[in-house]
Amino acid sequence: MNRVKLNQFDETLYRKTLDNGLEVFLLPRNEMEKTYGIFSTKYGSIDQSFSPIGEDEIVTVPDGIAHFLEHKLFEKEDGDVFQIFSKQGASANAYTSFTRTSYLFSSTKYVNENVNTLLNFVQNPYFSDETVEKEKGIIAQEIKMYDDQPDWRLFFGVIRSMFAEHPVRIDIAGTVESITNITKENLYTCYNTFYHPSNMVLFVTGPIQPEEMMALIEGNQAKKSFDPPEDIKRSYPDEPESVAEKEVIINMPVSTSKCLVGVKQKAAKLEKNEILYTKLVTDMVFDYFFSKSGEYYEQLDQKGLIEDQFDYEIYVESTFGFCAIGGDSRKPKELYEELKQMLLTISQSSIREEDFERMKKKKLGDLIRSLNSLESVANQFIQYHQIDINYFDVFDLLDKMTVEDFQKFLSDWITEDRISVCYVLPE
């Protein structure tokens, strides 16, 4: 078992790659009461086209199947996994994102039992024709519920405005029509391809003894057999640098209009050695200009263009990246024009040294505070580890960042052909 000393925090991360390829990370936090475990596969909603294990030909599966598979893994022939976690005093959950599917629990007792349950239920799929058909009705209701939520429609509306071909433009849960095409055989194909231990990561943090916990995990895995690991061949379409549509309008029964402006990242910013830096700098820029104490937020507020609900989100992955900013507005088209000009101005602005140092200190404080959350540390670490990046490098990156580096990034960041907008307007 390798030990990685995290000097900034006086903590040690324990790491081991098991014989079956599973990577295990243990971060003891003895000051905490609860233990958090997350078991994650590098498989998300964008992985629709791939070569199944043992085959050469690329296949394309129905939209929403990664999310559907996440649902189905909780259901077993002899009952529901949630009931087992509940009896063991644990809170369990799962989520599917664009790029990964994760299963998790937190508990203050029966930790060993809960780790075993987490590993066992994810590594023991049970799909039948009857249960797959039953699940379609459940997920269809979930999709319809999201379709009625203006903020969800706004979010995917702006993504579709930015991306012409990339599957990030498709709703993570798929559509009511697409999930009707999912079969038991589809699910096993996806499971066998993406849920091999060599494509997965287990991260456990809390008041744990690393040697004992690693022995428990190794013992669990030694009882199971897996085929030899193979490289997974994924296929994504070519995506233009510019946005697909400058404007998307959705009419819904809302009392206040909504406006969300998207900025599509350049492909060059998604190279492995650029991803963490791009996410870090973009977050600092939006926080500096558009947080409630920011210069631009104040201007938008004074002009009456924004309401209380105004926020931004940033996604930077290896095959796509974008930022989205906006919220409720009684003057949505004016808000878009103002935001567009502000974003273009940022690219040409000159950041003073003292302002830059203030931004760095604030970001460092945010990062250190985030370490107090077991969930935040584990999720952030796994997200970056699955694209072969060490999340803890973010502290060195921030420390070494100069105002000249920052200014250079801004000058090449935004161009008008990579900006789009989605509105949700009253019917």
Side-chain angles (χ1 to χ4, degrees):
M1 184 163 59
N2 296 323
R3 302 181 182 198
V4 181
K5 188 71 177 174
L6 305 175
N7 293 320
Q8 303 98 322
F9 326 111
D10 195 25
E11 292 180 349
T12 302
L13 179 68
Y14 295 79
R15 171 181 185 170
K16 187 167 187 177
T17 302
L18 306 190
D19 291 342
N20 61 19
L22 176 64
E23 289 191 286
V24 180
F25 294 90
L26 306 176
L27 182 62
R29 300 289 295 271
N30 293 325
E31 74 279 16
M32 299 291 187
E33 289 190 5
K34 75 175 180 182
T35 296
Y36 180 77
I38 180 167
F39 193 22
S40 182
T41 175
K42 186 181 177 183
Y43 171 50
S45 65
I46 66 170
D47 298 307
Q48 298 175 299
S49 297
F50 58 90
S51 176
I53 290 295
E55 301 179 21
D56 294 325
E57 189 174 341
I58 296 289
V59 301
T60 298
V61 291
D63 298 344
I65 195 167
H67 172 258
F68 198 103
L69 181 48
E70 173 220 309
H71 270 237
K72 285 302 303 162
L73 278 185
F74 280 95
E75 186 179 346
K76 304 301 178 191
E77 192 169 11
D78 55 353
D80 193 305
V81 176
F82 282 114
Q83 294 176 357
I84 301 173
F85 277 116
S86 181
K87 288 178 182 174
Q88 295 169 175
S91 171
N93 210 336
Y95 65 87
T96 304
S97 71
F98 295 120
T99 56
R100 67 186 187 282
T101 309
S102 300
Y103 304 84
L104 55 97
F105 79 89
S106 61
S107 70
T108 57
K109 55 186 179 180
Y110 302 117
V111 171
N112 290 354
E113 290 83 351
N114 286 317
V115 169
N116 275 323
T117 300
L118 179 67
L119 289 166
N120 291 341
F121 96 83
V122 174
Q123 293 184 322
N124 182 29
Y126 168 71
F127 312 133
S128 69
D129 292 327
E130 294 75 17
T131 59
V132 169
E133 289 305 311
K134 177 184 169 189
E135 196 68 33
K136 289 177 183 176
I138 296 169
I139 294 181
Q141 289 300 315
E142 182 181 332
I143 292 171
K144 289 174 184 174
M145 181 185 73
Y146 277 103
D147 283 346
D148 288 338
Q149 294 185 7
D151 288 324
W152 188 255
R153 296 282 301 277
L154 183 73
F155 178 64
F156 272 95
V158 82
I159 294 176
R160 278 192 287 275
S161 73
M162 287 184 279
F163 293 89
E165 304 292 340
H166 195 283
V168 69
R169 71 194 306 277
I170 299 167
D171 193 305
I172 289 170
T175 65
V176 172
E177 291 74 25
S178 71
I179 64 168
T180 61
N181 297 317
I182 293 174
T183 65
K184 176 184 70 177
E185 288 73 23
N186 291 148
L187 292 174
Y188 276 117
T189 296
C190 294
Y191 182 88
N192 292 333
T193 301
F194 294 106
Y195 280 72
H196 191 281
S198 61
N199 193 49
M200 302 191 72
V201 177
L202 175 66
F203 194 109
V204 183
T205 180
I208 56 173
Q209 296 299 318
E211 290 79 9
E212 293 177 12
M213 180 56 68
M214 189 63 78
L216 174 93
I217 295 165
E218 288 185 291
N220 177 290
Q221 295 298 281
K223 297 173 185 172
K224 303 169 185 173
S225 61
F226 299 92
D227 292 333
E230 292 184 22
D231 289 337
I232 299 173
K233 299 169 190 168
R234 307 167 198 245
S235 177
Y236 304 104
D238 293 334
E239 176 65 35
E241 286 270 325
S242 56
V243 296
E245 299 176 78
K246 296 297 289 182
E247 178 182 287
V248 168
I249 297 176
I250 299 169
N251 292 108
M252 294 184 70
V254 293
S255 57
T256 304
S257 299
K258 296 176 181 291
C259 165
L260 194 59
V261 178
V263 180
K264 192 176 183 180
Q265 290 284 7
K266 294 178 69 173
K269 301 295 185 188
L270 308 180
E271 299 291 332
K272 180 187 166 188
N273 60 349
E274 292 284 339
I275 289 177
L276 195 56
Y277 190 83
T278 299
K279 176 76 164 56
L280 182 63
V281 173
T282 309
D283 196 29
M284 289 169 66
V285 171
F286 273 90
D287 183 67
Y288 179 74
F289 286 103
F290 293 106
S291 65
K292 287 199 172 179
S293 59
E295 174 188 344
Y296 286 166
Y297 181 93
E298 190 175 337
Q299 290 180 24
L300 294 170
D301 191 39
Q302 287 177 350
K303 291 179 180 179
L305 297 179
I306 56 176
E307 306 286 320
D308 287 340
Q309 190 181 357
F310 180 80
D311 209 348
Y312 60 85
E313 292 190 58
I314 301 164
Y315 292 80
V316 187
E317 298 283 352
S318 58
T319 65
F320 70 91
F322 66 89
C323 321
I325 182 167
D328 290 356
S329 176
R330 299 189 184 282
K331 304 172 184 174
K333 301 214 171 182
E334 290 179 45
L335 174 59
Y336 165 59
E337 292 299 332
E338 196 73 26
L339 277 173
K340 184 174 73 173
Q341 287 309 312
M342 287 174 167
L343 289 165
L344 292 171
T345 301
I346 288 173
S347 295
Q348 302 158 11
S349 61
S350 177
I351 305 295
R352 296 182 302 174
E353 180 82 36
E354 54 266 37
D355 290 337
F356 174 69
E357 290 302 323
R358 192 160 57 245
M359 293 163 72
K360 281 180 67 173
K361 287 178 181 175
K362 184 171 186 305
K363 186 60 188 175
L364 180 61
D366 291 343
L367 288 168
I368 291 174
R369 274 193 298 278
S370 74
L371 297 179
N372 292 327
S373 164
L374 300 179
E375 294 85 348
S376 175
V377 172
N379 281 280
Q380 293 271 22
F381 182 87
I382 284 178
Q383 176 190 350
Y384 287 104
H385 176 74
Q386 289 182 325
I387 49 178
D388 204 19
I389 293 172
N390 182 357
Y391 170 65
F392 294 112
D393 286 347
V394 70
F395 294 93
D396 283 337
L397 266 180
L398 184 61
D399 184 51
K400 294 174 181 172
M401 189 186 297
T402 67
V403 68
E404 289 78 18
D405 296 335
F406 191 83
Q407 201 75 56
K408 185 180 177 185
F409 180 93
L410 292 187
S411 66
D412 190 35
W413 179 34
I414 297 178
T415 53
E416 190 165 352
D417 64 328
R418 288 187 289 109
I419 299 177
S420 62
V421 63
C422 178
Y423 301 109
V424 171
L425 304 178
E427 290 179 335

